[in-house]
Amino acid sequence: MSTDTLQADTLAAIAAAASPEALEAVRVSAMGKSGSVTALLKTLGGMTPEERLVEGPRLNGLREAITAALAARKNELESVALNARLVAERQDMTLPVAPALTGSIHPVSQVMDELAEIFADLGFAVATGPEIEDDWHNFSALNIPETHPARAMHDTFYFPDADAQGRKMLLRTHTSPVQIRTMMTQKPPIRIIAPGRVYRSDSDATHTPMFHQVEGLVIDRGVTLANLRWTLETFIKAFFEVDDVSLRFRPSYFPFTEPSVEVDVGYSSKTGKPAAAGDVDKWLEVLGSGMVHPRVISACGLDPNEYQGFAFGCGIDRLAMLKYGMNDLRPFFDADLRWLKHHGFSAFDVPTLSGGVGA
Ligand code: DAH
């Protein structure tokens, strides 16, 4: 077969190939290991230099023409296939969502939104920090030195290797390191809450290896325990949507606060809600707090003689369980659609103080 006929036949076959598979078959029969064009190219080796001078450019021209035609046809076929898919997979975005497909807002997300709403009204901003923390922010700066027993209490997940700067890395065991990050980057007065995920190697009906906390921090001149008490009372009343509440401050110990208190909320079993003093018949512990330790303030480069403050830390999952009546923590993270459907919130239940923060 002459080179010209071969070229014409192959180009015709390429143009006629109606699918990527058909095109590939043409490519193999021409350019494959034992293809017709490949066989012709191989004959160059046996030619005299004079013959090669004439045949070389001709055969290379043939090869280039076929290669170019193959690529062009491949492009064409691909855009035809893409257009067909775009037409076939077209969605009508104006159709209403099928009810079975509607997601819900997880109770933890809902409670975080409620917290942000309540504290925004008190002048608090929302702060965040990394979940992968270094040892200094999670412990040392919070007055928990290397040898401190509180480090063992936290059941920390450590990373096997130090980071590029040689720092020991871990999954933060509490949201308290956000206090440090905030004090190191912002000037007082500081008023923040920091909701987020925390991690501890612990698992049973009331503990999961990942859970949620909210941290609160106020730093200013002349802050006292009375300011803490008022803030917590205001928060608990707004969160549980009750007019009156009784709080019990129990002396406690946290390395990063002095004095430290644990706060119990007085409950009425009759209403299942926090209640005023006369109606209280049981106490539930809801948070840890205290006046920020002077050592923590100076670790962040502030003068503890000038600035004081209070901090608190509270489990968000526990708040959600108390407010919305769930008694097992584990299903929070099981991703069971039936549970989510039952306990989840509509995306339209945006918490507002005027409408009530509860949905
Ligand atoms: N970080 C503590 C914990 O995870 C909770 C806590 C207690 C936070 C007292 C505070 C605080 O800010 O003042 O157990």
Side-chain angles (χ1 to χ4, degrees), residues 154 173-174 176 179 200 213 215-216 254 256-257 288-290 311-313:
H154 278 208
T173 57
H174 50 178
S176 304
Q179 288 187 33
R200 289 184 206 176
Q213 286 188 334
E215 195 77 13
F254 299 104
F256 32 87
T257 44
S289 63
F312 56 88

Side-chain angles (χ1 to χ4, degrees), residues 179-224:
Q179 288 187 33
I180 305 301
R181 292 186 174 275
T182 306
M183 280 189 268
M184 302 211 33
T185 53
Q186 288 177 30
K187 284 204 164 26
I190 291 170
R191 271 180 295 203
I192 56 116
I193 58 163
R197 296 191 187 96
V198 300
Y199 303 83
R200 289 184 206 176
S201 178
D202 207 353
S203 187
D204 60 37
T206 51
H207 297 90
T208 48
M210 185 281 294
F211 58 104
H212 301 83
Q213 286 188 334
V214 61
E215 195 77 13
L217 176 71
V218 169
I219 299 285
D220 203 347
R221 294 190 176 88
V223 180
T224 71

